[in-house]
Amino acid sequence: MDYGFSRVTNADYDSGWVIGRHLFSSGCTNFAYCGAEQKNWSHQRYAGFKAKLAESGVDLDYFELPLEVWENPDKGEGLRDFILGLKKPVGIMAANDTIGVRITDLCKEAGIVVPHEVAVVGVDNEDVLCELSDPSLSSIPCDCERIGYEAAVVLDRTISGEYTEAVVIEIPPKTLVLRASSNTIVTDDEIVKQSVQFIHENAFLGINVSDVVKDSTVGRGGRWRSVLRRLSPRQFMKRSRRPGYRKRSICCWSPILRLR
């Protein structure tokens, strides 16, 4: 969207794309997006999410409300019916963390198990909101420090006359912070569910694939591959031991500069 003036903003499309990859790799086969009406950042995040899923031929359900409704816990007409009506298990991207917490709260009230029936990921990584969510909410942070720095650079270059036209700089999001709301393997297979539970309870006790096999009737990766074809037991254990992937960035491309 051309606003006619310079902007430095989060690369919202990329945020949606990364979350789409995360939920797809977690084994989700059903997907939904909960967004904010008439907010370009929400629509861009949806576009990235949808595009990533489209690479695998996957469609998704869509629901939106005005942002002020999302922010009022006493409102939200239609949300309960939407969540209850989704085919499960399902991976849901929330346009921001406020929306994500509304979803996890509703699931808890309705007796829907997060993340095994509904996996949820938000955007912005507002620590207090994400940690108060029950279960805690996975989220992808905007790089606010980098956005502020680049905005100062644009202002300086505009004042000096170096920029004579409006520019838009999109800063890639930071690493997805993995929390309980999506740290799972979404599957209907009871044996794989048993293995996931075992890994969650023992991930930091030095277990290996052989321990997982002993605890269940899972073949050495074969049962997982037949169900998922996306993530092995070893990969899932590694992910569970390092929630947040804080030392390894998912997004590594450079900021995108466009002259208007």
Side-chain angles (χ1 to χ4, degrees), residues 103-225:
I103 295 169
T104 57
D105 284 349
L106 188 150
C107 288
K108 186 175 182 180
E109 293 171 4
I112 299 171
V113 181
V114 178
H116 302 299
E117 293 180 85
V118 175
V120 187
V121 183
V123 182
D124 294 333
N125 193 43
E126 297 188 34
D127 287 341
V128 174
L129 273 179
C130 292
E131 294 296 342
L132 287 177
S133 172
D134 185 16
S136 58
L137 181 68
S138 296
S139 184
I140 187 166
C142 305
D143 193 344
C144 296
E145 291 184 5
R146 182 73 181 279
I147 290 172
Y149 175 84
E150 295 292 346
V153 170
V154 169
L155 178 61
D156 179 69
R157 292 178 179 176
T158 301
I159 293 173
S160 69
E162 182 177 345
Y163 286 166
T164 58
E165 300 179 36
V167 299
V168 175
I169 298 177
E170 295 182 346
I171 304 299
K174 298 176 78 173
T175 302
L176 188 150
V177 178
L178 186 64
R179 298 187 179 91
S181 70
S182 70
N183 188 20
T184 189
I185 297 295
V186 181
T187 176
D188 290 322
D189 190 288
E190 293 300 326
I191 294 177
V192 174
K193 287 181 180 179
Q194 175 188 340
S195 299
V196 168
Q197 184 65 31
F198 178 79
I199 292 171
H200 276 159
E201 294 174 353
N202 299 281
F204 291 93
L205 300 180
I207 61 171
N208 55 36
V209 175
S210 296
D211 296 315
V212 178
V213 173
K214 291 176 184 177
D215 184 70
S216 68
T217 57
V218 174
R220 192 177 179 87
R223 187 64 175 263
W224 285 58
R225 285 192 295 272

Side-chain angles (χ1 to χ4, degrees), residues 4-260:
F5 54 85
S6 296
R7 293 184 302 122
V8 181
T9 184
N10 178 61
D12 293 311
Y13 182 96
D14 298 342
S15 295
W17 193 94
V18 171
I19 292 173
R21 180 172 66 179
H22 166 63
L23 289 174
F24 185 79
S25 70
S26 296
C28 294
T29 54
N30 305 297
F31 301 88
Y33 182 87
C34 290
E37 287 182 1
Q38 299 181 342
K39 298 296 183 182
N40 185 59
W41 49 266
S42 177
H43 297 157
Q44 287 298 308
R45 291 169 186 180
Y46 168 68
F49 186 58
K50 183 177 181 179
K52 177 55 185 175
L53 298 177
E55 292 179 4
S56 302
V58 178
D59 202 0
L60 69 156
D61 292 288
Y62 184 87
F63 181 84
E64 67 176 9
L65 290 169
L67 187 59
E68 58 269 21
V69 174
W70 285 116
E71 293 172 345
N72 186 337
D74 296 325
K75 296 184 178 181
E77 297 78 6
L79 176 61
R80 181 183 179 89
D81 290 340
F82 175 74
I83 299 297
L84 292 176
L86 291 172
K87 184 178 180 181
K88 300 176 182 64
V90 60
I92 301 179
M93 177 181 173
N96 65 15
D97 293 334
T98 297
I99 297 173
V101 172
R102 287 293 303 274
I103 295 169
T104 57
D105 284 349
L106 188 150
C107 288
K108 186 175 182 180
E109 293 171 4
I112 299 171
V113 181
V114 178
H116 302 299
E117 293 180 85
V118 175
V120 187
V121 183
V123 182
D124 294 333
N125 193 43
E126 297 188 34
D127 287 341
V128 174
L129 273 179
C130 292
E131 294 296 342
L132 287 177
S133 172
D134 185 16
S136 58
L137 181 68
S138 296
S139 184
I140 187 166
C142 305
D143 193 344
C144 296
E145 291 184 5
R146 182 73 181 279
I147 290 172
Y149 175 84
E150 295 292 346
V153 170
V154 169
L155 178 61
D156 179 69
R157 292 178 179 176
T158 301
I159 293 173
S160 69
E162 182 177 345
Y163 286 166
T164 58
E165 300 179 36
V167 299
V168 175
I169 298 177
E170 295 182 346
I171 304 299
K174 298 176 78 173
T175 302
L176 188 150
V177 178
L178 186 64
R179 298 187 179 91
S181 70
S182 70
N183 188 20
T184 189
I185 297 295
V186 181
T187 176
D188 290 322
D189 190 288
E190 293 300 326
I191 294 177
V192 174
K193 287 181 180 179
Q194 175 188 340
S195 299
V196 168
Q197 184 65 31
F198 178 79
I199 292 171
H200 276 159
E201 294 174 353
N202 299 281
F204 291 93
L205 300 180
I207 61 171
N208 55 36
V209 175
S210 296
D211 296 315
V212 178
V213 173
K214 291 176 184 177
D215 184 70
S216 68
T217 57
V218 174
R220 192 177 179 87
R223 187 64 175 263
W224 285 58
R225 285 192 295 272
S226 68
V227 173
L228 299 176
R229 305 182 188 281
R230 302 171 197 171
L231 200 66
S232 70
R234 187 182 302 278
Q235 290 170 324
F236 184 69
M237 279 189 287
K238 185 176 181 181
R239 192 174 83 173
S240 296
R241 289 175 182 138
R242 297 195 301 163
Y245 305 88
R246 294 181 184 275
K247 296 183 180 179
R248 181 166 57 88
S249 177
I250 290 177
C251 301
C252 57
W253 48 87
S254 301
I256 304 164
L257 174 67
R258 296 198 300 268
L259 292 178
R260 294 292 187 187

